[in-house]
Amino acid sequence: MTKAIEVRNPRTGKFDYVIIPPPPRLLAQQCKRTRRAQIRWQQLGLEGRIEALQQWKKAILSGRDRLTEALVNDTGRLSTSVLEIDSFLSSIDRWCKLAPELLQDSAKNTAIPFIALQQTSVPYPLVGVISPWNFPLLLSTIDTIPALLAGCAVIVKPSEIAPRFVAPLKTAISAVPELRDVLTFVEGAGETGSALIENVDLVCFTGSVATGRKVAEAAAKRFIPAFLELGGKDPAIVLESANLELATSAILWGSVVNTGQSCLSIERIYVAESIFEKFYHQLVAKAYRLQLAYPTVESGEIGPIIAEKQAAIISDHLLDAVEKGAVIHCGGVVEDLGGGWWCRPTVLTQVNHSMKVMTEETFGPIMPIMPFSTVEEAVSLANDSIYGLSAAVFASEAEALEIAQQIDAGGISINDAALTAIMHEGEKNAFKFSGLGGSRMGAAALKRFMRKKAILIKTNDTNDPWWFGNGE
Ligand code: NAD
């Protein structure tokens, strides 16, 4: 018997939900069944798969209220949950539209006139998706949808910290006969994730660097591909030529949306010293206008800290910064309200790279700001990190583009923040410890789920010049 896991409610702190992980033997059997079902899914063809995903979307829409309620209970926030569901639904349409062109096989002539080439791709039969708690729905489906369209079967293991959204999603899956045998959500924590890796043909992992390393090692032992999307410590650089109003609004949004619980949150801000004071006064004034979504879920922009472990990390980073001389201008404490953990948007100055808040992932609504005197210094500070997920630059476009080329990160927003969360066309890799594997965004994302096959056809009846002679 596996042990039930009690799940905490982020608004009340009460453990009001339970998940029961499958024993490893049953999970292995489930994987076998799902892999067998994949054959029919692939044979269904792309049109049939698109039709099945559209039916799934319809079933989700008809149960949308239940899904919203579950996601709100998982995360404690409402407006971001609504956006999360919208984004998930629109990603189904986006991929259904893109897939036909991406999955076309091609026939080509080769450099050898009597050899033709048919270039085809075949899906990995069974993909495992392991996801975190910060955007539970979006991050458990972001790889799932292109993988399904590519013809793979998928087993998803969402985070044990926010698993309530799975039940309404499963109801919608069971309404689509073609889909129900090839798309499964399993509940559980790390042990279930690690058992899943033992049974799949490819793993997509989103989560922390520490777990990502374990996933990569387990996948390497089995020689299966692992696509890792890990943590970040995104910098923003603001030059004198920036539009200050725009920069402070964009940075505030990029830092505190979803209470800063986003891999691509802006977690460090470097500002030209000539505009430093003006910048932080403006940022503080705007930060004060944001309210906690407390006592009711509709009441403000800032939801609770979802994972209790994260509340402890945020407190630790703030304490460490203050002990080393940082000054807090607003926010600055993790409060217990009604049993949940909350943190108001926090602006810090007098910070430096000896502080955890400037070097480790905080994952909270914290905006530490540091002045710089030259562009070289700004770039060097931005690159002084083990992470390389994304970044933002605020300046005249020409200056910003030049800086963007020098930043070691896969996605750079110019005169805006966290654009890769909104715009999915741009292909990008995670640099340094932020991840491994092909781009999750753009057309390349779908092709990651297929292996290429070259079919080489001899088209004449004569001996190839490189064969052994017939003794002639
Ligand atoms: P986590 O690494 O603790 O857990 C992620 C998932 O891995 C969970 O489902 C967990 O149950 C599972 N897991 C734990 N141990 C495992 C093991 N040994 N084998 C297989 N699976 C295992 O991360 P978290 O706290 O849930 O999420 C926060 C982290 O996710 C942050 O670092 C954040 O930056 C990162 N993240 C990255 C992206 C991205 O796209 N780069 C997006 C969102 C979040």
Side-chain angles (χ1 to χ4, degrees), residues 130-135 139 157-161 188-194 197 205-212 214-215 229-232 262-263 309-310 361 363 389 434 440:
I130 300 173
S131 53
W133 47 264
N134 57 323
F135 287 97
L139 293 170
K157 205 296 287 169
S159 169
E160 66 281 16
I161 293 173
E191 279 170 24
T192 308
S194 118
I197 299 167
F205 173 81
T206 309
S208 62
V209 174
T211 313
K214 289 184 199 162
V215 169
E229 300 284 346
L230 311 177
S262 168
C263 55
K309 65 176 179 180
Q310 210 62 44
E361 189 179 45
F363 229 55
L389 197 60
S434 285
R440 164 187 269 182

Side-chain angles (χ1 to χ4, degrees), residues 207-343:
S208 62
V209 174
T211 313
R213 186 172 283 121
K214 289 184 199 162
V215 169
E217 284 169 4
K221 278 194 189 133
R222 295 200 54 233
F223 278 18
I224 61 167
F227 299 130
L228 308 179
E229 300 284 346
L230 311 177
K233 187 80 189 166
D234 284 6
I237 295 179
V238 187
L239 263 59
E240 208 178 48
S241 58
N243 174 335
L244 215 61
E245 271 299 337
L246 187 139
T248 47
S249 294
I251 287 174
L252 180 66
W253 181 82
S255 301
V256 313
V257 66
N258 201 33
T259 318
Q261 302 163 118
S262 168
C263 55
L264 40 68
S265 275
I266 289 181
E267 294 220 352
R268 312 175 271 149
I269 307 164
Y270 304 102
V271 180
E273 57 191 9
S274 56
I275 54 164
F276 184 78
E277 286 233 346
K278 214 166 154 198
F279 177 91
Y280 88 75
H281 283 302
Q282 210 177 94
L283 189 64
V284 169
K286 289 183 182 179
Y288 266 120
R289 285 183 216 146
L290 299 181
Q291 302 297 323
L292 296 183
Y294 184 85
T296 66
V297 77
E298 295 88 3
S299 38
E301 300 85 356
I302 310 296
I305 298 162
I306 299 169
E308 193 158 36
K309 65 176 179 180
Q310 210 62 44
I313 293 171
I314 298 169
S315 288
D316 176 49
H317 286 197
L318 288 172
L319 194 69
D320 172 71
V322 170
E323 272 174 10
K324 292 175 180 160
V327 175
I328 292 174
H329 298 274
C330 55
V333 277
V334 173
E335 307 167 61
D336 174 353
L337 296 173
W341 295 111
W342 300 78
C343 184

